Amino acid sequence: MKTIRLREGKERSLLRRHPWIFDGAIAKGGGDAGETVRVESDAGQFLGWAAFSPSSKIRARVWSFDEAQRIDASFFSARIAQAIQARNLFDIQSDGCRLIHGESDGLPGVVVDRYADTLVAQFSSCGAEKWKSVIVQALLAQTGLTRLYERSDASVRALEGLPEATGWLAGSGDTAVTIREHDWSLSLDVAEGHKTGFYLDQRDSRQKFAQYTRRRQFGQVLNCYCYTGGFTVAALAGGAGHVTSIDSSGPAIERARANVALNGFDASRTTLLDADVNASLRQYQKEGRQFDAIILDPPKLAPTVAHAERAARAYKDINRLALGLLVPGGVLFTYSCSGGISADLFHKVVASAGTDAGVDAFISERMGGAPDHPMTVAFPEGEYLKGLVLVKRPVG
């Protein structure tokens, strides 16, 4: 077994059971891509068993902090079983569910979503790639499913020195799937679109928006970065009079249109635009348009802290415009899914946007990812999705 030894003082995060080891923390030692290495402190104390990534800034990711643990097929089978069992602890009103959420489930670099009868997996680290076939077999055995599609096409693979990989790892057939979520249905294509094909992490936020719509009886709703229309369907299910939905992806807009029809809603209650959100918000401002509720759910703008400053400016601009377009008492659901933007920074950015817009607002609620996308005490980076529900304060 190969060993890596850390520099003096660099063991503190591992003693707190944080699973990442950065390249600068290593004094000596290494391994092949994905190889399991023993991690020791400067004094020779055992710290963990980790998968080595020769090309990544995160040079090793810990599988286990137990010195007696063997990293083998039985280990992965047990970890997968624990992750699936944990989902039974939560109230998940859908047959679309994240079964494995990387580090939060003790499986760094492994993400697995279930969409009805289909599993979709992403393997984003050298360790996950090395054990891919073992993980796939365990997933199929423990879920009883026969279809598993790989979506290892995230840009982070390049940082690991890994090529993109997509396609069926088990089973075959149509990649279009329909899932049930709360009181509605949503279609997606696991071979296309963002992440594994859909944003399961916003499941509870969509239900919350439907509840707000039902209670407040929103007449005009604006859904920005609507993707395949999850919030659009939620708004219509809540009884919204009319929903304007914008996304710069034509295929996503067509999927959103299909999802509106799938749930039996009158197409006249929606306007679906293949357009730039920022430009659209500015145009609505010039026209004097106003909305009772707005959703801002942009794609990731700051994957790391290094991108935070530029992303903060972009978040501020769209929130400033949205707050100005709300009627007094109107509601804004605004989100950041950027790992490089902390919840505290996002709050400050939105507050600054309100100041520039000359708008004050109540923070009605703070939102996060659905519980099947868990954040653990030892791995706060799992909290990538931050949301605020703001109610625009009436003037006077």
Side-chain angles (χ1 to χ4, degrees), residues 5-72:
R5 183 159 289 195
L6 304 189
R7 298 181 188 278
E8 186 177 358
K10 295 298 184 180
E11 74 281 357
R12 296 190 186 99
S13 64
L14 274 78
L15 292 174
R16 295 194 300 269
R17 296 192 166 239
H18 192 286
W20 289 352
I21 303 166
F22 289 91
D23 56 348
I26 299 174
K28 62 180 180 179
D32 296 329
E35 184 176 7
T36 300
V37 296
R38 177 186 175 94
V39 184
E40 294 180 351
S41 70
D42 175 66
Q45 174 190 6
F46 172 83
L47 296 171
W49 300 111
F52 197 74
S53 296
S55 302
S56 177
K57 286 290 184 183
I58 305 175
R59 194 54 53 92
R61 292 171 170 82
V62 176
W63 292 125
S64 174
F65 296 95
D66 179 1
E67 189 170 5
Q69 179 71 65
R70 293 189 61 177
I71 308 304
D72 54 16

Side-chain angles (χ1 to χ4, degrees), residues 195 201-202 205 231 295-305 308 311 315 319 332-350 363 365-370 373 375 380-389:
K195 302 177 81 171
D201 51 3
Q202 289 284 35
S205 283
F231 275 105
I295 302 113
L296 286 180
D297 187 21
K300 186 186 296 183
L301 301 179
T304 67
V305 175
Y315 283 121
N319 279 278
L332 172 64
F333 275 56
T334 182
Y335 297 91
S336 165
C337 64
S338 296
I341 301 289
S342 67
D344 182 58
L345 176 56
F346 185 58
H347 184 161
K348 290 176 180 176
V349 167
V350 175
I363 297 178
E365 300 190 52
R366 295 180 184 273
M367 305 298 293
H373 295 65
M375 175 188 69
E381 289 87 348
E383 188 185 19
Y384 66 95
L385 180 61
K386 290 79 61 176
L388 294 171
V389 180

